[in-house]
Amino acid sequence: MSPTDATGAGKPAEKVDVLVIGAGQAGIAMSEHLTAGGIPHLVLERSRIAERWRSERWDSLVANGPAWHDRFPGLKFDDTDPEAFAPKERVADYFVAYAEKFGAPVRCGVEVTEVRRNEGRPGFRVHTSDGEIEAGAVVAATGPFQRPVMPAIVPETAGLMQIHSNGYRNPGQLPEGAVLVVGGGSSGVQIADELQRAGRKVYLSVGPHGRPPRAYRGRDFCWWLGVLGKWDVGAPAPGTEHVTIAVSGAYGGQTIDFRRLAAEGMTLVGRTEKYADGVLSFAPDLRRNIAQGDADYLAVLDEADAYVARNGLDLPEEPSAREIRPEPDCVKHPIAELSLAEAGVTSIIWATGYALDYGWLKVDAFDETGKPKHQRGVSTEPGVYFLGLPWQSRRGSSFIWGVWHDARYIADQITIQRGYRAYRAPV
C-alpha cells in the first residue's frame, strides 16, 4: 500500500474499536477471532478478499498443501478431495465463503494510506481512500508478500522481457525463445517446470534451498512436519533464515527433483550474480546447492523412519524414495557464463521473493531495516499488531493454518488490553 491522497474529505471520522488492514487469510482469521470475542472491528481491503490469490499468481497455481491441511478449522473444502491441492481461485473462494460464514465486517475497495498515533489521547488516526477512521487498535494483516523483489542485475537496455514471478501468468505471455528462471524455491521451480512442459528451453538458476519429499510412506509432507514438531519450531536454525523451500502441489503433487528436471532437458545453473555485455555470470555453487537439497531430503526420510519405528506405526516402507538420480551433466560441469543471445534467451522471470512494505504505517514499531519489532505479533508500539509474518511465532505462521492460530493469540492480547483500559478504580 503506497500513500495516496485520501478521498472522502469532509466526512466525519468513523470510529472503530479495532481496525484490521487486509482481507487475505490473515485478515479473515483475525476477524473470526475478534468476532468470537465480541470485539467490534472493521476489516479494510483495498481490492477483493484474498485478491493476491486471484490476480498476483500464475494461472495454474495450486495450494502447496493438501486440502485437508491448508484450511481453517471451521470450514472444509467440500468440493475438493482432502488429499488434492486446491486451485488458486478455489482458495480465494474459500476465504470469501469463510468470511460470509461468520459475517466478517469486510469493506472492500478501500485503501489505507496512512496510520498515525493520536497525540495526547489513545488510538490512531487512519487515512483511507474513503475518508478517515479513528481506531483504538490496528492490526496490520497485509501478509508477507507485499513488494516483489527484482535484483537490479540485468538492465532494461539488455532488450529482454523481465518480470517478477508475481507477474507471470502462463507460457503464452512470454515471447518466443528460451527462458531463464531465477530462483529455486517453490515458485521458481513450478514456473520453470510448466515452461519446460510447454516446450520451452529453460535455464533455472538454483540457490540454496530445502527440498522435502512431497509425500513419504503414504503421508503428505505437511503431516510429517506436524508429527515431527517442525511446524511449531520457534525460530529458524542458524544460517537457514532465508533458505527457500522447493515443494509443489502441481500435477497432483510431486516431489521436486532438480535432477529429474535436468534429465528432461532443463539446464540448471548456479545463483545469478552479474551481467555484462550480454553475458550472465553464475556463482560456482550449483553442485553444492543440489547436494545440500538432497541431504535435506534424505534427513526428512531418516526422521520419518525413526518416528514410525518409535511409535510402531503400520506405514508401508518406501525404499524407492531413497533412490537419487545420477548427477546431470549441467551439475557435473556447471555453466559459469551464459551469452543470452547465443542461448536464445528472450525473457527472464525473477522468482526472487518479496520484501515487507509498511510505509503507510507511521508508528514506532520498526527497526532500522524496516522490519517490524514485535513479540508474537504484538508490536513495540502499544495498540499496533502484526499478523501473517514469516516466523511470527513459529515456522507455520505465514501458512494458512498457522496464521489462524496466531490470530487467536493476538485477539487474546487485544482482549486483555481492553480489560485494562476499561478498569475503573473503586470509589
Side-chain angles (χ1 to χ4, degrees):
M1 300 185 187
S2 57
T4 59
D5 291 332
T7 60
K11 292 172 57 178
E14 183 177 359
K15 297 183 183 298
V16 299
D17 282 38
V18 179
L19 181 66
V20 180
I21 302 170
Q25 61 195 41
I28 299 304
M30 190 73 250
S31 182
E32 179 182 10
H33 291 298
L34 292 173
T35 298
I39 300 174
H41 66 284
L42 173 66
V43 183
L44 295 184
E45 167 56 49
R46 64 180 175 179
S47 187
R48 297 175 292 177
I49 292 174
E51 180 63 24
R52 285 195 171 104
W53 278 96
R54 298 189 191 278
S55 61
E56 296 186 24
R57 302 292 184 267
W58 60 97
D59 296 345
S60 64
L61 175 69
V62 298
N64 275 339
W68 68 263
H69 184 269
D70 279 14
R71 64 178 181 86
F72 289 165
L75 185 66
K76 296 180 179 179
F77 284 90
D78 55 5
D79 57 353
T80 304
D81 186 304
E83 297 294 334
F85 304 87
K88 69 184 186 80
E89 289 287 343
R90 180 64 186 90
V91 176
D93 290 341
Y94 173 88
F95 289 117
V96 172
Y98 205 96
E100 292 173 348
K101 178 175 178 288
F102 65 90
V106 179
R107 190 176 298 169
C108 292
V110 180
E111 182 177 12
V112 172
T113 57
E114 186 177 272
V115 176
R116 289 188 182 273
R117 172 168 284 287
N118 290 327
E119 295 294 333
R121 58 191 176 90
F124 302 86
R125 191 78 169 183
V126 181
H127 297 266
T128 81
S129 58
D130 191 39
E132 294 190 343
I133 294 175
E134 289 277 351
V138 172
V139 180
T142 49
F145 306 116
Q146 296 173 17
R147 178 169 54 83
V149 173
M150 285 181 59
I153 295 177
V154 182
E156 293 183 7
T157 55
L160 301 165
M161 178 180 182
Q162 298 188 67
I163 58 174
H164 190 269
S165 58
N166 83 321
Y168 170 76
R169 294 296 171 267
N170 55 64
Q173 165 191 16
L174 306 181
E176 293 295 324
V179 185
L180 169 66
V181 179
V182 181
S186 293
S187 295
V189 73
Q190 287 181 55
I191 291 171
D193 190 16
E194 176 174 270
L195 289 168
Q196 178 157 277
R197 289 169 184 257
R200 296 298 188 99
K201 173 57 185 175
V202 178
Y203 295 85
L204 177 61
S205 179
V206 181
H209 60 274
R211 189 177 75 85
R214 173 69 272 175
Y216 181 56
R217 300 186 70 160
R219 299 294 172 90
D220 187 84
F221 172 59
C222 291
W223 186 85
W224 286 113
L225 281 182
V227 298
L228 295 175
K230 295 184 180 295
W231 281 125
D232 290 324
V233 172
T240 66
E241 294 87 346
H242 307 294
V243 173
T244 58
I245 304 298
V247 67
S248 172
Y251 312 109
Q254 298 178 346
T255 296
I256 289 176
D257 186 343
F258 291 98
R259 296 168 184 267
R260 174 184 63 79
L261 293 173
E264 293 172 354
M266 190 177 297
T267 299
L268 308 178
V269 295
R271 286 180 298 109
T272 302
E273 285 197 320
K274 59 183 179 179
Y275 171 90
D277 301 323
V279 176
L280 266 177
S281 300
F282 306 104
D285 62 353
L286 177 61
R287 197 169 199 172
R288 181 175 69 250
N289 295 338
I290 297 297
Q292 288 178 344
D294 291 343
D296 175 70
Y297 168 82
L298 293 171
V300 174
L301 303 191
D302 289 343
E303 288 191 63
D305 286 343
Y307 181 86
V308 170
R310 184 170 62 250
N311 291 279
L313 300 183
D314 184 21
L315 296 180
E317 294 186 2
E318 193 176 341
S320 62
R322 292 184 175 274
E323 297 174 2
I324 301 296
R325 292 170 178 262
E327 197 170 61
D329 188 66
C330 62
V331 175
K332 289 180 182 177
H333 310 288
I335 296 173
E337 294 183 337
L338 182 69
S339 169
L340 298 180
E342 292 179 7
V345 174
T346 58
S347 54
I348 301 177
I349 299 174
W350 297 92
T352 42
Y354 296 78
L356 299 175
D357 185 1
Y358 290 107
W360 48 273
L361 191 50
K362 310 293 187 181
V363 298
D364 185 20
F366 304 95
D367 64 17
E368 62 279 0
T369 68
K371 292 182 179 179
K373 294 188 295 184
H374 70 96
Q375 180 68 32
R376 294 189 65 182
V378 180
S379 86
T380 54
E381 175 72 68
V384 173
Y385 304 85
F386 294 99
L387 184 58
L389 298 174
W391 294 94
Q392 178 161 314
S393 68
R394 70 195 83 186
R395 179 179 184 169
S397 286
S398 58
F399 295 84
I400 291 174
W401 74 270
V403 79
W404 188 90
H405 291 280
D406 282 348
R408 180 168 58 184
Y409 175 80
I410 291 175
D412 287 343
Q413 301 309 303
I414 291 174
T415 299
I416 291 169
Q417 291 302 315
R418 281 166 56 86
Y420 282 129
R421 289 197 301 274
Y423 174 76
R424 297 293 182 268
V427 177

